[in-house]
Amino acid sequence: MATTAFSQAYGTATVQLTVDAISECVDSRALPPLTVLDRDEESAHRDLFLLNEPEYQGCTFTLRNLWPSEQSWLYLDDTGLHTHAIDREHESIAFMALSQVQVELIMDCDTDSTRSKRSVNTEPRLDHLGPYDYGDSTWLLGNTISHNPRRGIFNLIVNDINDNAPIFVGKEQEPIVVAYPIAELEERILPRALAEVEATDADVGENAAIVYWSREEVLAVSPHSGFVHVRNNARLENNTRLTILATDLNGHEQGLTASLQLLVKLIDTSHIAVITVQNAFLDDEKYIVGNLSASVGYEVKVLKSTVISEEITSETDETRSKRQAILSTGASLQLYVYGLLQQEPVDVQRLTEDINVIETVSIADIISLEDHLENLQICPSPGRDIALLVSTIVLSVLLFILIVVAAVWYFLRWRKNRNYEEFSDEASLGTRSDSPVSSPKPESFPKPRINIEDLKKSERRLQEMLQTPVEEVTVEPVAVPKPVESKINIPEAPIVIQSIDKLKDADESEEEDVFGERARDKRKSVVTFNENVEKIIHVEDPPDDSDFEVYRL
């Protein structure tokens, strides 16, 4: 059983011990049957096991390699078992799921006399074998250990440290040349990515977990797949150099970083060819491109790839053989490719001529991108045209219905407003002449808010004044002179009220309104009075009901 120091997680491993020999010793000195140690790589470690203890005096020790059989890292001296600096990336232990070194320590004493006893179970164990065969076991701790007090197994696990930076594939050919279509062509073919980069790390575990990134503002890099994309609305210039970075430790700031430079070449329709490969899918892209590059003698790269279905008629199904029917997948892979020779794009005419003579790839058709785009315009897809026509008709009908509904609604609303205006009170002549002028509303002023604190202060001051003793004041009588009366004769002026009827002499004219009634103009009077009038009371005579007639419309 093993337990971690911090998280206290534990694991168990089963070890089978069989008796291989019985030692008859006069003392109790013995070696531990199994010792498991772990140490970091790239550093020397001493005193893995001490042999200069008093209990081991008079004994000699021998070291035998178990795995790897030719290792020289672990060694013995007079003091004990030690190790030199171990490189975990060494080919003898680098491929192991858990890199480890195993040795056997044999102790011989002068007083030992040994008799051997064979194990009862002589059949070899095969249940420990697995996909990774490290000689006779996938996990060295699972080996059968022969029990002997004078022998001990020491298993040293080599811990990996982050001492190796990532390495980009193709770094030796830096800068890596990649092509990208010009801005006018980019929208028509829409490349899958600018490039796909890959890096490896000699470490294991988290030390080899790589994250891709870039400081370039025009690029967007997928952190795990390594696809390099051009951002929206970004424009690349010809012969632009871009830097891609890869950091281990999952991109941690303490991780090691490697860089790779890309050289961008802008291409147009004169450099791009469209290849159709029969019975192929996206999984076959790398294999096809590798064969094309090896056959033409220069590098062939892909801008875009799509899978298109093939139309197979019934006559073809009847004539082709059973083997052809099995091998045919009913789909083809269409590749938009370009060539690079000495870091320069290859002309499309030469590219198509070189690929046409290749026999290792089942190429159904190869044409230039310019011809491919012309064919798309001349021979459009019938299904797409029918769908476009149907959608156009439906939208036209819906638009016509909306226009008709809007026109009817507007006409009804206009007609209703017109009838209302003809028979409204505002349209009558009498109403327009008799309508009083609306008087303006008086302004409302906000009520002043009473300050409670000031009111309390005033009340306290008043109470203090009332509680203050009042001094007695002696008032002496003073003779007041008697007022002298005088009489003034004021002549009595008569109160004159003058009423002038300005409309008295006006001609009484009668006009008929829209309802055929005769309306008389109201008579207006002007009254003047002098300043001695204090109050005027105006009393109207109640109207005589006989002078009015009520009409119901």
Side-chain angles (χ1 to χ4, degrees):
M1 179 180 293
T3 305
T4 58
F6 298 101
S7 61
Q8 296 299 313
Y10 66 92
T12 59
T14 302
V15 179
Q16 180 179 355
L17 299 178
T18 60
V19 178
D20 182 65
I22 299 177
S23 299
E24 297 179 356
C25 306
V26 296
D27 53 26
S28 60
R29 292 177 294 183
L31 292 175
L34 177 63
T35 303
V36 180
L37 305 170
D38 69 296
R39 296 292 185 272
D40 292 340
E41 64 168 330
E42 304 296 344
S43 298
H45 302 280
R46 293 187 57 83
D47 300 333
L48 299 180
F49 186 75
L50 296 177
L51 301 178
N52 56 357
E53 299 293 334
E55 58 179 318
Y56 298 126
Q57 291 181 0
C59 298
T60 59
F61 297 90
T62 305
L63 188 66
R64 185 170 70 94
N65 294 331
L66 297 181
W67 182 266
S69 59
E70 298 180 357
Q71 70 86 23
S72 59
W73 296 307
L74 273 67
Y75 65 95
L76 284 175
D77 61 9
D78 296 338
T79 60
L81 179 64
H82 318 286
T83 177
H84 298 293
I86 302 176
D87 183 13
R88 197 212 60 82
E89 289 76 29
H90 191 272
E91 58 183 4
S92 61
I93 59 175
F95 62 91
M96 301 176 69
L98 185 63
S99 300
Q100 50 194 303
V101 180
Q102 191 178 66
V103 296
E104 182 182 20
L105 188 62
I106 303 173
M107 180 177 65
D108 294 325
C109 299
D110 298 336
T111 58
D112 292 346
S113 60
T114 305
R115 61 181 180 87
S116 298
K117 179 180 179 181
R118 303 297 298 174
S119 175
V120 177
N121 186 9
T122 59
E123 296 181 0
R125 292 177 62 251
L126 300 177
D127 56 348
H128 55 261
L129 297 180
Y132 299 98
D133 190 359
Y134 302 157
D136 61 348
S137 174
T138 59
W139 188 262
L140 294 182
L141 296 181
N143 284 353
T144 300
I145 299 175
S146 301
H147 174 66
N148 190 329
R150 293 295 187 259
R151 293 183 180 182
I153 302 297
F154 289 85
N155 211 86
L156 177 62
I157 299 175
V158 183
N159 297 327
D160 180 61
I161 63 174
N162 190 25
D163 58 340
N164 295 282
I167 300 176
F168 278 97
V169 177
K171 177 71 174 179
E172 62 278 0
Q173 301 175 359
E174 193 177 20
I176 304 299
V177 181
V178 293
Y180 200 76
I182 58 178
E184 294 78 7
L185 193 60
E186 179 183 1
E187 298 179 356
R188 304 193 67 179
I189 62 175
L190 191 61
R192 176 181 56 194
L194 175 64
E196 181 182 2
V197 297
E198 182 182 0
T200 60
D201 198 313
D203 296 321
V204 294
E206 189 178 9
N207 295 333
I210 298 176
V211 171
Y212 303 97
W213 57 288
S214 177
R215 296 189 180 95
E216 306 291 345
E217 296 181 355
V218 296
L219 297 182
V221 183
S222 176
H224 301 293
S225 64
F227 280 101
V228 182
H229 302 273
V230 179
R231 294 184 183 273
N232 290 336
N233 302 325
R235 291 292 178 262
L236 297 178
E237 300 293 337
N238 194 28
N239 295 324
T240 302
R241 288 180 178 264
L242 304 172
T243 303
I244 310 299
L245 304 174
T247 304
D248 56 14
L249 280 179
N250 272 326
H252 195 271
E253 59 182 5
Q254 296 181 355
L256 303 179
T257 302
S259 63
L260 180 69
Q261 282 195 350
L262 302 179
L263 179 61
V264 180
K265 296 287 185 178
L266 295 183
I267 56 178
D268 52 18
T269 55
S270 62
H271 303 101
I272 305 173
V274 181
I275 303 176
T276 304
V277 183
Q278 292 180 343
N279 301 326
F281 290 90
L282 295 177
D283 300 339
D284 306 321
E285 178 183 325
K286 290 186 177 180
Y287 171 77
I288 295 172
V289 173
N291 282 344
L292 293 178
S293 300
S295 301
V296 299
Y298 49 84
E299 191 173 10
V300 178
K301 292 188 175 182
V302 179
L303 279 176
K304 177 184 176 182
S305 59
T306 56
V307 176
I308 56 177
S309 59
E310 298 178 353
E311 296 182 359
I312 303 177
T313 61
S314 58
E315 297 179 358
T316 306
D317 291 340
E318 295 176 357
T319 56
R320 63 180 180 174
S321 62
K322 181 179 179 180
R323 177 176 176 81
Q324 291 177 347
I326 295 174
L327 296 178
S328 178
T329 59
S332 298
L333 182 63
Q334 195 173 69
L335 302 175
Y336 294 73
V337 299
Y338 63 92
L340 291 174
L341 179 60
Q342 296 179 355
Q343 297 188 348
E344 292 296 332
V346 179
D347 186 73
V348 66
Q349 184 176 359
R350 177 181 176 181
L351 181 63
T352 54
E353 292 176 355
D354 293 342
I355 295 178
N356 271 327
V357 298
I358 298 177
E359 298 180 355
T360 57
V361 180
S362 178
I363 298 177
D365 186 24
I366 176 171
I367 58 175
S368 64
L369 178 62
E370 185 176 2
D371 296 338
H372 177 71
L373 296 177
E374 290 179 357
N375 293 338
L376 291 179
Q377 295 177 357
I378 296 174
C379 303
S381 175
R384 182 176 58 186
D385 291 347
I386 293 175
L388 181 61
L389 179 61
V390 171
S391 60
T392 304
I393 294 174
V394 172
L395 291 177
S396 301
V397 172
L398 292 177
L399 182 60
F400 176 75
I401 293 174
L402 289 176
I403 293 174
V404 171
V405 171
V408 171
W409 177 81
Y410 179 77
F411 175 75
L412 294 176
R413 185 178 179 86
W414 172 79
R415 186 175 180 181
K416 180 179 179 181
N417 293 338
R418 182 182 178 186
N419 295 336
Y420 177 77
E421 291 176 357
E422 288 181 356
F423 297 99
S424 63
D425 293 339
E426 296 178 356
S428 62
L429 181 61
T431 305
R432 286 197 298 266
S433 60
D434 296 343
S435 59
V437 180
S438 59
S439 59
K441 295 182 179 180
E443 297 182 359
S444 59
F445 297 96
K447 296 182 179 180
R449 299 181 61 183
I450 300 175
N451 194 337
I452 303 300
E453 297 296 332
D454 294 344
L455 187 60
K456 291 181 178 180
K457 291 180 181 179
S458 301
E459 184 179 359
R460 286 196 297 269
R461 286 198 299 268
L462 181 59
Q463 290 178 357
E464 292 176 358
M465 293 174 62
L466 294 175
Q467 294 175 1
T468 304
V470 181
E471 297 180 359
E472 296 183 358
V473 180
T474 304
V475 180
E476 296 180 357
V478 180
V480 180
K482 187 176 182 180
V484 180
E485 296 181 357
S486 59
K487 295 182 179 180
I488 300 174
N489 296 325
I490 300 175
E492 294 181 358
I495 298 174
V496 179
I497 298 176
Q498 183 180 3
S499 176
I500 302 174
D501 192 353
K502 293 184 178 181
L503 302 177
K504 182 177 181 181
D505 299 332
D507 296 336
E508 295 182 357
S509 59
E510 296 180 356
E511 296 181 358
E512 293 184 359
D513 56 7
V514 294
F515 300 101
E517 297 179 355
R518 296 181 180 275
R520 295 181 180 180
D521 295 338
K522 294 184 178 181
R523 300 172 63 88
K524 298 181 180 180
S525 300
V526 179
V527 179
T528 60
F529 50 88
N530 61 3
E531 59 184 1
N532 294 326
V533 177
E534 294 181 356
K535 186 176 182 180
I536 297 176
I537 300 175
H538 176 69
V539 179
E540 292 184 355
D541 295 332
D544 190 3
D545 296 339
S546 61
D547 296 336
F548 295 89
E549 293 182 3
V550 179
Y551 295 90
R552 296 183 180 276
L553 299 179

